[in-house]
Amino acid sequence: MSKSKRLIYLPLGGAGEVGMNAYVYGYGEAGRERLILVDLGVTFPDMDSSPGVDLILPDMSWLIENRDRLEAIFITHAHEDHVGAVGRFPDLLEVPVYARAFTANIARGKLEEQGLDPRIVRTVSPWPETVTAGPFTVGFVPVSHSIPESAGLVIDSPGGRLVHSGDFKIDHTPVVGEPFDEGAWEEIGKVGVKALTCDSTNVFSRHEGRSEAELETQIEELFSRAKGLVVATTFASNVARLKTLAEAGERAGRSICLMGRAMLRMIEASVETGVLSGFPRVVSPEEAQSIPRENLMLLVTGSQGERRAASAQLARGKYNGMELKEGDLFLFSSKTIPGNERGVIRIMNQLSEKGVDVVDENSGFYHVSGHANRPDLLKMHQLVNPQMVIPMHGEHRMLCEHVKLAKENRRDGIVAVNGTMIDLSGNAPTVAEYIETGRVYLDGSVQIGALDGIVRDRIRMALNGHVIVTLILDEQDEPLGEPWCESMGLPETGRSRAPLVEILEADLGQFLGRASEKTLADDDKIEQELKRIVRRVAQDEIGKKPEVTVITSRLA
Amino acid sequence: MSKSKRLIYLPLGGAGEVGMNAYVYGYGEAGRERLILVDLGVTFPDMDSSPGVDLILPDMSWLIENRDRLEAIFITHAHEDHVGAVGRFPDLLEVPVYARAFTANIARGKLEEQGLDPRIVRTVSPWPETVTAGPFTVGFVPVSHSIPESAGLVIDSPGGRLVHSGDFKIDHTPVVGEPFDEGAWEEIGKVGVKALTCDSTNVFSRHEGRSEAELETQIEELFSRAKGLVVATTFASNVARLKTLAEAGERAGRSICLMGRAMLRMIEASVETGVLSGFPRVVSPEEAQSIPRENLMLLVTGSQGERRAASAQLARGKYNGMELKEGDLFLFSSKTIPGNERGVIRIMNQLSEKGVDVVDENSGFYHVSGHANRPDLLKMHQLVNPQMVIPMHGEHRMLCEHVKLAKENRRDGIVAVNGTMIDLSGNAPTVAEYIETGRVYLDGSVQIGALDGIVRDRIRMALNGHVIVTLILDEQDEPLGEPWCESMGLPETGRSRAPLVEILEADLGQFLGRASEKTLADDDKIEQELKRIVRRVAQDEIGKKPEVTVITSRLA
C-alpha cells in the first residue's frame, strides 16, 4: 500500500442502532478515496418519536456530496433495513447496484415503484466470482440468515482484505438456501483479513444459535392437534419459515392460502429467482372460502402488529372473506421487535376475545433468530481471523459488548457509530474523522430532516392540544370585535364548567381592551401576549398548557 | 342463603388488561346487593393511544350511581395499579377504605395530594382479624409479592366464602415481609370456598417462580467486580429488592444514596410503618458528592425508562450533582413492562455511549417476578380448593389460559372481563348482566372519556399535521382580501418547491373568487369546501392530508 493512500470504513446508518444500514468503504488518498456503499436501508417510525412519518432513511448528504467518488452500491440481502432506501436517493444511482438474484429482484421492484430505471441493478453470482468497483474487488459469500440469498462480502483492495459479514447466523440446515459454509470462510481468512465488520444484533444471547430446521417437528405437532382453522404469521421475507409452516400444514392435511401483499411479493420473488422449490401448492383466498376450516391453513402478514396487515385485520374482523372464531389456532412464528409489543399484544388479545387459541414464540418451539449469537460471533471471528473486529448492525450497547468479546479473545476492535470514519490502514483501527450524519424522515412524499422541528410540533400538539386565536384589527389598529378561539384536542370545559374557549376569549378580550396603541401595532408583541394568556388560563382551567397559534389579520 | 339473594362479582377494571384494578363484590337481592370494592388503581398512558394523558382510570360510573349500596373499599397492596386512583373518585369516599399499614400510608398520601381527608383510610391487622362491611366479613391474609404488606382477601358472606388472591407469588424467603403461608391458605380453604378470584399475570410462565432471596449472591458478585460508581434501578415500591441491592452495595464497601422522589417516598413509608428493618444507612446526594465513586452506590428511580426519572436524567447528563462516566456500572434489576421497551433501550444506549457498563435482567440473575407462575397458580388453586376459579389481573389471553389451567385440573372457571357481572350463587358461575365500563383519562386536571374524541384529535394532528385557514367576509359576504393559511407540523415546501401555505392560499383564493353568493353566505359550506381543497392540494404537494380548521369571521 502506498504510504499516502488509506483504507477507510464509514457507517452512515446501522451502527449504534438496529435499522437503516448504510456502510461506506473507501480506498485512496485521504479525502479522495474511491468509495463503495454497502446496503441502503430504512428504519420504521413510531408514534413516540416520529408520529406521522412514513419511513426513516439515513442522512446520505455526505455521500451525495461525494458521489463523484462513488464506484458502486452492494446490497447484502433483501430485508427492508438493508435495501428499503435504494429507491429513495436517485442522486446515488449513477453507479451500478450489485446484488444476488433474489435481492436484485426486490431492489428492482423498489426502483420501479419510484419510477427509476431498474436496470442499474445487476445480478451477481456468488463467491468465488467477484465484481470490480474502482480499487475494490467484491465477492458475495452466501450466509444463512432469515431471508433467501443473504451474503457476506469479501472486499479486496490494495489496502488489504476486508470482510463485511452482513446479517448472518451459523445454520447448517437452513431449510431454504445455502448452509453456512465454515470451510469457505476459513479459506477466505487464510489470505489475511485486515478487518471484519460484523453483525452485533445477538451479542447478548449467550447460547449457540439454533437451526431453522429444528422448528419442523414442533410446528407439525402443534398443527396436527388443531381442530379448527390454522393461521400462522411470520416475517413475509422469512421464506424458509414460510416453507416450514406450509409443509407442516400440508402434512396436517391442510390446503395453504397466502394472505397479505408482502407475502405474495416475497413468494413471487422466490419463485422467479428459483430460490424456492418444493413449496406446497397454494390456494387463492377465493378457493379457500369453500374449503372446510379443519382442512385449511392461512399464512398471513402482520407478525409485528402492523395495523393494516392481514393479522390485524383478521383480529378485528373479516379479511379476504375469512373470519376467525372459537377453536381456531393462531401462531406467531416470530419474535416481536422491541417497540412493537403494544401492537402485537393488542392483536393477540383481540384474537383471544374471538375464542382463538393464540400461540407465541415464548416457548422457543416456534421461532429461531436469524442472527448469530455470542458463541457464533466468536466462531466467525475465529474463521475469518481478522486483525480487528468492527461491530456493526447493533445498538451502542451491542457494539460495545461485541468489542469486549473480541478483546477478551485477544483481537483488536473499535466501537464506530454512524459518522465515525475509521482508518483501517495501520495495525490498529483509528478514528480518521467525524462526518455529520443523522436521520431523514420520509413524510408523505417529502423528505424532511429529523431535527427540522416539524415532527417536534406534531408531538407537542399530541401532548398539549392546540388552541388557535384569531384577531382582526382595523386600519387604526383597533380590535374589530372580540378575538376568536378554537381548540383541537382539548376538553371543552374545565374547572369553572364554562366552555374553555369562551373563558379564553373573555380574558383575551379584556387584555386587548386595555392594551396600549404600541402593543396593538406590533404583531409579535400581540402574539407573545396572547399566547401567554392562553397558556395561563388553560393551565388554570384544564391543567394543561396547549400549543397556541395566533393569527392576526389587519384590514389594510 | 335465602333463595332470593345472590352473591356477585363484577370487575370494573383489571380483567382483560394488566392495570387499573377495580373489582366489585356484592350480596343481596338482585339489583339491590350490598357492595364492596376491592382496589382502585390506575393504568399509565402511552403515546400510541393516549398522548398527553396523565393517568388512565377505570370508568366507575356504575359504582358511583350505586354508591348508596357501597359498604367499603379494600386495598390489597400499594402498587399504583391497585391504589393509584383512590383519590380520584371523591364520590366513592363516603365509605371507609381499609388497608394494611404500609398500603394505608400510601393511600393516605394519595388522598392528601387531592385535598381529601386521609382519615377515611383505616389500618387493619392481618388475618385472622377481620372487618365487617354490610353482609361481608373481610380478612387480609399476607401474601408475598413485590411490595411490602401485600394481601389476599378472605371475603365471607351469607352466600359463602370467596378468596380474592390479590397480586401474589409463592415466596418462602421474600427478604422483606411475611413468607407465603401455605398452611394458612389451606386452613382457609378447609371451610369450603365458592370462588377464588386469582392473579393471572404469569400464567404463561411454565416454570416455578423463584424467590427474592435467590438474587442476593449474584448481585453481590456483580457489585464486587465493579470498579467505578455503581448505580442500580428497580421499581421504587420493590422494597425487598432495594434492601437486597443496598445490602450488596454495603458489603461491597459502598455508601448507599437514594435518588428519585418515588423511592424516597417508599422508603419513608416502609420506615414509618415498620416494615423495613436493617436497611443500610443512606447518605444524602450532597454527601454522596464527596465520596469516591468506587465507594458509592446510587439506588435510583426510572427502571421503566420514564423520561423525568433519575435513570433518564443520569443517562442524559447530570442529576443531583452526579454524572456517570467510563467504567461505571448500571444495573436494571427489573423487567421492562411491555410497551416501555423503547424508553428503556434509549436510556441503556445513552449510558453505553458514556462508557457505562449496562447490565439488564436477561440473564435471570438480577430480577425475579412478583407474580405466581403457572405451577404456583395451580398450587394456590389446590391450597384454597375453591369450587370455581375466576381469573383476574391479566389480558384476555391470560384469563383464557388461566381458565384452561383450572379446567385441566377439573375445576370450574369462567372468563369474566371488565363489565361482566358474574352470579356466584349457584354451583357454577353464570353471567348475570353486562355493565357498561371503560376508561377515563385524567388529562391535566380534567377527567375525559376515552371515547370523547379529544385524544383522537390529538393523534390525528400528530399523524397528519394541522392547517388553519382564516377567512374574513365583509357585510356583503365578500371575502376581505385573500384567505390566510398557517400550518403546524407540516413541511414548509413540497413538490412544487413553493411554500405550501402560499399554494394553499392561492387555490383557496381562486375558489372563493368563483364561489356563488349562496356558498359565501353559508359558513358550513365554506368550511367544507375549504377543507376539501386544503386536503387535496396538500396531498398533491406533500403527500399528506392534514387536519384542517377553518375560521370564518364575518364583519357584522
Side-chain angles (χ1 to χ4, degrees), chain B residues 333-351:
Chain B
S333 180
S334 52
K335 182 180 172 262
T336 303
I337 292 176
N340 295 343
E341 288 80 0
R342 283 180 210 140
V344 173
I345 290 172
R346 186 190 309 114
I347 289 176
M348 287 184 171
N349 284 305
Q350 285 170 335
L351 291 168

Side-chain angles (χ1 to χ4, degrees), chain A residues 96 174 181 237 251 317-318 328 485 512 533 552:
Chain A
D181 187 346
S237 56
R251 278 194 295 268
K318 273 199 177 185
D328 291 341
C485 290
L512 290 168
I533 293 167
T552 308

Side-chain angles (χ1 to χ4, degrees), chain A residues 47-48 52 339 341-342 349 352 357-358 395-397 404 443 445 458 462-463 466 480 489 542-544 555, chain B residues 47-48 52 339 341-342 349 352 357-358 395-397 404 443 445 458 462-463 466 480 489 542-544 555:
Chain A
M47 189 71 186
D48 294 78
E341 288 81 2
R342 282 180 212 143
N349 284 306
S352 180
D357 189 19
V358 180
E395 295 163 11
H396 195 278
R397 242 186 112 205
K404 262 195 215 166
D443 187 57
S445 52
R458 283 188 209 155
L463 294 175
H466 194 186
L480 213 63
I542 59 169
K544 283 181 97 80
L555 301 183
Chain B
M47 189 70 185
D48 293 80
E341 288 80 0
R342 283 180 210 140
N349 284 305
S352 179
D357 189 18
V358 180
E395 295 164 12
H396 195 278
R397 244 185 110 205
K404 262 196 219 167
D443 188 57
S445 52
R458 284 188 209 156
L463 294 175
H466 194 187
L480 214 63
I542 60 170
K544 283 182 98 82
L555 302 184

Side-chain angles (χ1 to χ4, degrees), chain A residues 32 44 75 131 143 162 219 238 282 333 345 364 533 535 546:
Chain A
R32 300 179 57 188
F44 295 98
I75 309 289
V131 169
V143 291
L162 305 174
I219 290 177
N238 195 337
V282 300
S333 180
I345 290 172
I533 293 167
R535 293 212 169 106

